[in-house]
Amino acid sequence: SARAQLAGQISNDLASVGHQIALGLADGAATAEPALHLYDTLPFPFSARGRELFDRTRAFITEHVLPNEGRWREALAANTAAGRRWSPIALVEELKAKARAAGLWNFFLPSCAEFGPGSGLSSLDYAPLAEL
């Protein structure tokens, strides 16, 4: 179907960009928004909340995470050189705090006494968020 072909093309484009980023040939900046929302190409009934969180999470990554990849690499290299490769990186802790404040943290947690109400997302709504 046309939707399946479009989903395949989006997947191929995404894989290509990811490969370029991994090789250091691109910075991850999007060149254009896709014509259709990714959710519109998949044959599953996503909730409005799942779609909204997907959009907010993608925007957060674009605005806060991708522009800081170079700083993260530098901090990791400095930690590694100092023999502290696995030590927390201040930048990551800052981004985690921003994500928490924006309500974009721990989507996978179920409702329970220890963690609170959880995200309330179904596995179907959570899966695309985990892929971002």
Side-chain angles (χ1 to χ4, degrees), residues 26-130:
D27 63 5
T31 55
E33 286 295 315
L36 284 178
H37 190 285
L38 177 62
Y39 274 30
D40 295 332
T41 66
L42 301 173
F44 307 112
F46 296 100
S47 72
R49 182 160 185 267
R51 184 178 182 136
E52 181 256 335
L53 286 173
F54 180 89
D55 291 341
R56 287 181 45 218
T57 302
R58 186 172 64 175
F60 182 90
I61 290 169
T62 300
E63 182 178 344
H64 299 289
V65 177
L66 295 177
N68 282 300
E69 284 185 350
R71 288 181 55 208
W72 174 80
R73 283 188 189 100
E74 290 168 4
L76 181 62
N79 277 3
T80 301
R84 299 178 288 115
R85 180 174 178 86
W86 305 114
S87 297
I89 294 174
L91 171 64
V92 173
E93 299 305 311
E94 292 168 19
L95 292 173
K96 285 166 49 175
K98 283 184 182 182
R100 280 188 195 100
L104 303 173
W105 191 253
N106 286 344
F107 293 132
F108 62 90
L109 290 179
S111 295
C112 66
E114 184 178 351
F115 298 115
S119 70
L121 294 173
S122 68
S123 294
L124 183 64
D125 279 323
Y126 171 69
L129 295 170

Side-chain angles (χ1 to χ4, degrees), residues 12-27:
N12 285 338
D13 292 347
L14 184 59
S16 176
V17 170
H19 187 246
Q20 290 176 7
I21 292 169
L23 295 174
L25 302 175
D27 63 5

